[in-house]
Amino acid sequence: MNAPTDATEVFGRNVFSERVMRERLPRETFTALTTTIERGAPLTAEVADVVANAMKDWAIERGATHYTHWFQPLTGGTAEKHDAFISPREDGSIIMEFSGKQLTRGEPDAPSFPSGGLRSTFEARGYTAWDCTSHAFLKKDAAGNVTLCIPTAFCSYTGLALDTKTPLLRSMGAVSKQATRVLHALGHTTTTRVVSTVGPEQEYFLVDKQFYSQRLDLMVTGRTLFGAPPPKGQELEDQYFGAIKDRVSTFMRDLDVELWLMGITSKTKHNEVAPAQYENAPIFATANIAADHNQLIMETMQKVALRHNLVCLLHEKPYAGVNGSGKHNNWSLSTDDGINLLDPGTTPHDNEQFLIFLCALIQSIDKHADILRASAASAGNDLRLGGNEAPPAVVSIFLGEELTQVLMSIAKGEAVAAKNRDVLQIGVDTLPPLPKDNTDRNRTSPFAFTGDKFEFRMVGSSASISDANTVLNTIVAEALDEFATRLERADNINAEAAAIVRDVVERHGRVLFNGNSYAEEWLEEAAGRGLPNIQSTVAALNSVVTPKAVDLFGTRGVLSEQELRSRHEIQLERYAKQINVEAVSAIEMAHKQYVPAIIEYAAKLGQAVQQTAGAGVSTTVQKELLTRVNDLLHSAYSRLQILESELAKAQTVADVRKQAETYRDDVVPAMSDLREDIDRLEMLLPKDRWPVPSYTDMMFKL
Ligand code: ADP
Ligand code: MG
């Protein structure tokens, strides 16, 4: 047993944090850098040189030999290229050097990152630029290598975004600007900046490495392409919040320490709904830092799991039939003078402010439900959304009965029921108290108000949270812009605020739904309300290149039409490639593992029939079983051939969108058909004749 870890002692030890900067930088450098971090003022070359040198000394004292510009290309993951600090001297020796230039700008020289045609049209290469709003940190690997990681944005030379961070930063600027305008119009003039805050809850599965290594599908696609349902799934609900097994809690403890060292506030850990499924959540941070930290959390989970002979599965649906994994993206807006704008507050003024920001969300989610849905689209999430314990593909908002009632009453100019009072005047009266109780809150809604923040539950577990938060910030900025203009022009602010609430409820109230979003009836009702129900990734992605989307992102300066189109293409391509890998793996497993094992077993049964008949007794059972196995084998084999031909056809489609559609419409169903037969065979064959570990092995033997 390791000694318990003192969190206060390890926390942030590997971060070039504000505290370290204050200690190590001359006062004027520190002030200049802080101004850049907070207000985006340009950084001079002198300041950059001083910061770089201090960073290098700090890193070298801690064993670092290399630095890397750490960035998030459009693969959805992260990328790094390591450079040693060494620099040659004339006498043939070296010194350790790190200049301001090396800190602020890098050239990863990596033309093979996806760019959707952007760079080939403009420039051959992209460059990385230091994002000083996210702290530099040290990464240590098991072999003892220490690398200074500098969070960076990745752009083309013409300034086009080639990553997920750049649009997120732009969207944070957009929402800050409009939220500040609204606050000023409401008379709250002390605010100069508003940040979007995010706390992502990360779900994942753990599986024993020995089982994982025997499953080609898990290794190359991250999910099981075959597997009969285990006798016990999650129906007893005994796993959720259950006692954590020792092996898993040892993993979780190591994970916590690794995360704390990097300054990540890992706080909550528990068992999730499905067997062998877990969750980790940090304390919320600014959207940008939360996105960086979430990437590090995913990476660290996978690294630490291996040390325990476990593999961490981040796929949205590793196992059919049980809960998939997502990220609950908790989102709010917070002012630089410390106010959470989605907190209803207690004074009439606070309430008014809250209602305006709440209405901005309602309007923007209804107007851009399709774009928000697209931000959570991936091949993996197609298997999760609408499945067990996951929100449907219809975007709706849960506010709770009380808050919904308040909005409705204001909109209709009625007495507010909760208090038997007269017509509630926004900005003059206080709202009736809203329950902040977590216990009975709606867990089926894709977008739920949870007392002082919203929880967006559609994001897939393997995805970067940047896209979803870029969309949230941008759509809310648009609504706030409209409201700010109205409030700025109004003679009577309170009356205008009430009018805004009325208009929003009238025009966008259809997006509010407090019932069970998992119910079939809801899908019908949603259709009646005209809410989009976009089932597949391929369809969802179309919403990012509509004139509405181009206008939204363009006006806010978040993504140009060209950037949107390139992203669209990259995502369609990624979808097609992912399904292609799945289909190739399924075919390989069928040919090399399943079919031979089944043929062998059928032969064994054939022998058994003969031998048993030779003994002069009845062979009906042996024959019956042989017939069932043989029939399924025939069916499986013909479905395998169909899959092969559908795949071959899909591979030759030239147009990206058509190709993605072909994979979705022809290849995916052919894979499911094959799986159906193979899974039925798995239930008939003896365990020791089945060539791969079963669902029971993977989910229950931990
Ligand atoms: P749950 O019951 O959904 O697990 P928690 O209270 O554990 O909810 O919070 C989930 C996440 O929400 C945490 O990461 C938490 O830090 C985050 N969170 C709390 N307040 C805010 C906020 N104002 N903005 C963004 N995220 C927040
Ligand atoms: Mg939650």
Side-chain angles (χ1 to χ4, degrees):
M1 275 265 294
N2 293 348
T5 309
D6 179 354
T8 58
E9 212 262 312
V10 296
F11 188 81
R13 208 198 279 166
N14 294 340
V15 184
F16 194 69
S17 62
E18 192 179 319
R19 191 174 49 80
V20 176
M21 288 192 267
R22 197 186 288 277
E23 266 169 31
R24 293 187 167 242
L25 296 175
R27 184 181 307 188
E28 56 283 16
T29 312
F30 178 76
T31 312
L33 183 59
T34 313
T35 313
T36 301
I37 292 171
E38 286 177 0
R39 296 199 218 119
L43 204 66
T44 64
E46 294 77 44
V47 171
D49 274 332
V50 177
V51 177
N53 200 48
M55 229 184 230
K56 176 206 69 185
D57 290 344
W58 171 83
I60 289 175
E61 282 165 31
R62 281 155 186 76
T65 49
H66 289 68
Y67 70 92
T68 179
H69 274 201
W70 184 72
F71 61 105
Q72 299 169 33
L74 295 171
T75 54
T78 61
E80 46 193 73
K81 175 188 151 209
H82 298 195
D83 278 301
F85 288 116
I86 59 167
S87 177
R89 291 211 297 194
E90 282 194 2
D91 65 0
S93 66
I94 53 153
I95 49 163
M96 300 298 256
E97 228 174 35
F98 188 48
S99 67
K101 236 179 169 171
Q102 288 168 312
L103 165 65
T104 51
R105 207 173 158 102
E107 292 181 27
D109 190 18
S112 54
F113 288 112
S115 66
L118 273 187
R119 277 179 302 164
S120 50
T121 340
F122 284 85
E123 295 281 356
R125 292 188 306 183
Y127 71 94
T128 49
W130 180 31
D131 167 20
C132 61
T133 63
S134 182
H135 295 311
F137 59 93
L138 300 176
K139 237 198 235 181
K140 294 190 180 179
D141 68 17
N145 299 303
V146 183
T147 306
L148 170 67
C149 297
I150 298 146
T152 55
F154 182 38
C155 297
S156 79
Y157 280 97
T158 48
L160 296 167
L162 298 173
D163 67 350
T164 55
K165 186 191 268 283
T166 305
L168 178 61
L169 290 172
R170 292 175 184 162
S171 75
M172 289 173 75
V175 76
S176 174
K177 181 170 157 198
Q178 303 306 336
T180 308
R181 269 181 73 205
V182 167
L183 288 170
H184 288 190
L186 291 172
H188 189 104
T189 51
T190 48
T191 297
T192 59
R193 210 161 54 93
V194 172
V195 289
S196 51
T197 52
V198 174
E201 302 163 50
Q202 173 74 47
E203 294 178 332
Y204 61 98
F205 282 83
L206 290 175
V207 60
D208 194 305
K209 188 158 176 270
Q210 64 150 325
F211 297 130
Y212 172 88
S213 321
Q214 295 173 61
R215 300 265 331 199
L216 178 71
D217 48 3
L218 270 189
M219 287 193 293
V220 305
T221 73
R223 76 177 181 103
T224 54
L225 300 169
F226 301 95
K232 176 180 177 232
Q234 63 191 41
E235 60 278 16
L236 297 179
E237 294 175 347
D238 50 351
Q239 155 85 1
Y240 191 51
F241 280 37
I244 301 172
K245 288 181 182 160
D246 281 356
R247 185 174 180 196
V248 175
S249 70
T250 315
F251 155 79
M252 286 178 170
R253 182 190 59 198
D254 284 3
L255 174 66
D256 273 341
V257 173
E258 291 285 340
L259 295 176
W260 291 338
L261 280 166
M262 291 190 288
I264 299 171
T265 52
S266 175
K267 178 158 175 79
T268 308
K269 48 188 182 186
H270 59 77
N271 285 0
E272 257 302 329
V273 176
Q277 191 190 25
Y278 310 92
E279 180 183 296
N280 172 285
I283 297 171
F284 70 95
T286 65
N288 177 33
I289 291 174
D292 284 359
H293 283 182
N294 182 250
Q295 291 284 4
L296 289 173
I297 288 175
M298 290 194 284
E299 182 184 313
T300 311
M301 278 175 168
Q302 290 174 298
K303 196 173 76 177
V304 174
L306 286 175
R307 280 190 222 150
H308 296 265
N309 260 322
L310 294 165
V311 175
C312 169
L313 304 176
L314 292 169
H315 193 281
E316 284 74 19
K317 199 80 175 177
Y319 306 110
V322 295
N323 199 24
S325 296
K327 277 182 222 217
H328 291 174
N329 187 81
N330 294 273
W331 182 95
S332 189
L333 289 174
S334 179
T335 68
D336 58 350
D337 46 346
I339 299 162
N340 175 358
L341 294 171
L342 289 176
D343 189 329
T346 48
T347 68
H349 181 81
D350 292 344
N351 293 166
E352 179 177 61
Q353 198 172 279
F354 163 70
L355 287 170
I356 292 295
F357 282 91
L358 182 69
C359 285
L361 271 140
I362 297 172
Q363 167 164 323
S364 56
I365 301 288
D366 184 42
K367 197 167 161 196
H368 299 299
D370 58 336
I371 299 176
L372 192 61
R373 161 72 183 90
S375 76
S378 67
N381 226 9
D382 278 2
L383 300 163
R384 166 180 171 257
L385 295 178
N388 289 330
E389 297 279 335
V394 181
V395 178
S396 66
I397 301 179
F398 167 85
L399 290 183
E401 292 300 337
E402 290 79 3
L403 186 52
T404 309
Q405 271 314 315
V406 169
L407 282 180
M408 295 298 168
S409 304
I410 295 171
K412 291 190 200 136
E414 290 172 357
V416 173
K419 280 251 163 162
N420 283 335
R421 77 164 89 201
D422 292 337
V423 177
L424 180 137
Q425 261 193 291
I426 297 188
V428 180
D429 299 324
T430 333
L431 289 181
L434 301 168
K436 251 197 172 180
D437 189 4
N438 272 349
T439 48
D440 67 349
R441 79 184 198 209
N442 186 317
R443 294 194 171 273
T444 66
S445 176
F447 204 84
F449 182 63
T450 54
D452 56 3
K453 62 184 186 296
F454 273 96
E455 184 169 314
F456 179 45
R457 300 180 175 140
M458 273 187 171
V459 184
S461 50
S462 68
S464 156
I465 56 168
S466 295
D467 284 357
N469 290 300
T470 299
V471 171
L472 282 172
N473 293 338
T474 310
I475 62 179
V476 172
E478 183 192 59
L480 290 173
D481 185 358
E482 183 191 315
F483 297 174
T485 306
R486 284 179 67 168
L487 292 166
E488 283 160 2
R489 289 184 186 151
D491 295 327
N492 181 334
I493 296 291
N494 296 344
E496 190 60 27
I500 289 174
V501 174
R502 247 192 334 267
D503 291 345
V504 168
V505 171
E506 196 175 293
R507 292 176 201 156
H508 304 288
R510 63 174 187 165
V511 77
L512 302 178
F513 178 63
N514 291 325
N516 176 8
S517 303
Y518 294 169
E520 276 298 315
E521 301 84 78
W522 164 234
L523 296 185
E524 263 169 55
E525 190 185 329
R529 293 187 189 189
L531 300 178
N533 180 4
I534 308 172
Q535 292 293 328
S536 74
T537 289
V538 183
L541 291 177
N542 289 336
S543 15
V544 302
V545 288
T546 60
K548 180 175 75 115
V550 170
D551 176 60
L552 168 79
F553 289 107
T555 309
R556 308 286 137 211
V558 173
L559 286 165
S560 66
E561 176 162 5
Q562 195 185 16
E563 288 170 324
L564 286 170
R565 292 202 177 279
S566 80
R567 269 150 217 265
H568 181 229
E569 193 176 307
I570 289 166
Q571 280 177 296
L572 285 173
E573 237 171 50
R574 194 194 307 166
Y575 175 86
K577 283 179 185 163
Q578 221 163 317
I579 304 294
N580 188 67
V581 172
E582 289 189 358
V584 173
S585 309
I587 291 168
E588 184 170 329
M589 286 175 80
H591 275 305
K592 296 199 170 163
Q593 298 189 287
Y594 296 127
V595 169
I598 298 157
I599 289 178
E600 219 174 273
Y601 181 56
K604 194 94 195 151
L605 283 174
Q607 283 169 11
V609 171
Q610 284 178 350
Q611 287 166 2
T612 310
V617 294
S618 160
T619 57
T620 43
V621 172
Q622 287 86 340
K623 278 186 179 151
E624 157 80 22
L625 191 53
L626 177 56
T627 308
R628 282 171 74 185
V629 169
N630 206 44
D631 287 353
L632 281 169
L633 174 64
H634 275 269
S635 170
Y637 198 75
S638 77
R639 285 171 156 180
L640 172 58
Q641 286 171 314
I642 293 172
L643 175 58
E644 286 174 318
S645 82
E646 294 299 348
L647 177 63
K649 270 191 261 167
Q651 284 169 339
T652 61
V653 178
D655 177 75
V656 203
R657 185 185 304 191
K658 283 221 184 71
Q659 185 177 46
E661 282 166 1
T662 311
Y663 273 102
R664 175 193 65 189
D665 298 336
D666 302 337
V667 178
V668 170
M671 274 199 293
S672 320
D673 287 347
L674 173 61
R675 175 180 187 150
E676 196 187 331
D677 288 337
I678 299 289
D679 288 359
R680 285 165 72 187
L681 282 157
E682 183 179 354
M683 298 205 272
L684 290 180
L685 262 68
K687 170 98 178 109
D688 61 352
R689 290 197 167 268
W690 200 246
V692 298
S694 68
Y695 266 33
T696 304
D697 293 332
M698 293 182 284
M699 287 198 277
F700 292 97
K701 295 187 187 167
L702 257 194

